[in-house]
Amino acid sequence: MPNLALHQIRTASVAIAICDSLNISVEKDIIVLACLIHDMGNIIKFKLDYFPEFSNPEGLEYWQKVQYDYISKYGEDEHVATYQIAKELGIDEKVIELLASIRSKSIEDIKLSDDFNRKICIYTDGRVTPYGVVSLGERMSEAKKRYEHHKHAFPDKEHNFFKENIWEIENQIFSHSIIKPDDINDDSIYLILENLKNFEI
């Protein structure tokens, strides 16, 4: 869906802004590619009537059929679907491995690791809502509300555990950056995003 594609482009744009600000070495190319494809299977879990405006111009029935086709081909786990699609596209294995980092269940392991590629991937996804780039706190609140009555909803204990760890990952990343978290917003990533719209995988 166009809004899902835009979410992935925004996430990759945030990743580029962060990578370019760091005084440590990271693998920018694989981070950006992982961010650009990290939600390819997510239509599987969408409540398509939650954001009805995102179904236009094709319409809700069109996207319901696409969703059905995805589930029929890949099953009901959106993460598995994303990995399978990435393999079908011939994506490098290093990128596919990074995709596993953009999962909530990996959060503590990523916090404790020294791998900043993984930290950036999970963090950047935590900065982007369906409508744009926001602070980490805003994103956590938005996601909690959006998934409140969804099978993917976090219990409060898990939600708080994720928040504690993602805040620490933000601190880890920006301790090596010449910018601050607040410096990353829709305005600051605009030119990066526009360039990424022409990116070919």
Side-chain angles (χ1 to χ4, degrees):
M1 298 180 76
N3 65 297
L4 182 56
L6 182 56
H7 166 78
Q8 293 175 121
I9 294 170
R10 281 185 176 127
T11 302
S13 298
V14 172
I16 290 172
I18 290 173
C19 289
D20 289 348
S21 78
L22 297 177
N23 58 20
I24 57 172
S25 178
V26 292
E27 295 179 277
K28 177 179 171 180
D29 290 346
I30 67 168
I31 291 170
V32 171
L33 188 50
C35 290
L36 280 170
I37 65 174
H38 76 276
D39 277 345
M40 286 190 300
N42 268 26
I43 193 171
I44 285 171
K45 72 172 184 178
F46 277 4
K47 292 176 71 174
L48 292 170
D49 56 352
Y50 193 89
F51 294 112
E53 67 274 25
F54 290 156
S55 294
N56 297 322
E58 293 87 353
L60 184 60
E61 287 186 13
Y62 173 86
W63 290 113
Q64 286 173 331
K65 182 181 184 310
V66 174
Q67 184 180 57
Y68 174 81
D69 290 343
Y70 264 62
I71 293 170
S72 297
K73 183 173 183 180
Y74 299 111
E76 295 191 354
D77 187 319
E78 72 277 8
H79 298 294
V80 171
T82 294
Y83 301 148
Q84 290 179 354
I85 296 166
K87 288 180 179 179
E88 288 172 9
L89 291 172
I91 300 296
D92 188 281
E93 280 297 323
K94 289 181 75 174
V95 176
I96 294 175
E97 288 174 12
L98 261 189
L99 291 175
S101 297
I102 312 178
R103 299 188 68 167
S104 58
K105 70 179 187 179
S106 304
I107 190 70
E108 185 176 33
D109 177 55
I110 295 169
K111 180 191 75 173
L112 296 173
S113 89
D114 294 324
D115 189 340
F116 275 79
N117 295 339
R118 298 175 71 206
K119 293 179 194 293
I120 293 167
C121 282
I122 197 165
Y123 174 74
T124 53
D125 191 40
R127 289 291 307 271
V128 182
T129 73
Y131 292 103
V133 179
V134 296
S135 70
L136 204 52
E138 289 173 295
R139 173 71 163 100
M140 295 300 101
S141 298
E142 181 275 330
K144 185 175 176 62
K145 181 180 177 182
R146 178 157 44 107
Y147 287 106
E148 191 172 10
H149 301 294
H150 195 286
K151 67 179 181 179
H152 291 269
F154 278 178
D156 284 344
K157 184 177 179 180
E158 289 182 27
H159 179 77
N160 291 334
F161 180 77
F162 183 87
K163 279 188 6 181
E164 289 170 10
N165 284 281
I166 198 72
W167 280 115
E168 179 56 30
I169 288 170
E170 179 176 75
N171 292 334
Q172 292 170 349
I173 291 170
F174 285 93
S175 70
H176 296 283
S177 173
I178 62 171
I179 62 174
K180 303 182 297 295
D182 290 348
D183 293 327
I184 296 178
N185 51 57
D186 284 324
D187 290 336
S188 68
I189 67 158
Y190 176 78
L191 291 178
I192 300 171
L193 186 147
E194 289 301 309
N195 287 330
L196 276 181
K197 285 181 178 179
N198 298 315
F199 189 96
E200 292 188 11
I201 296 173

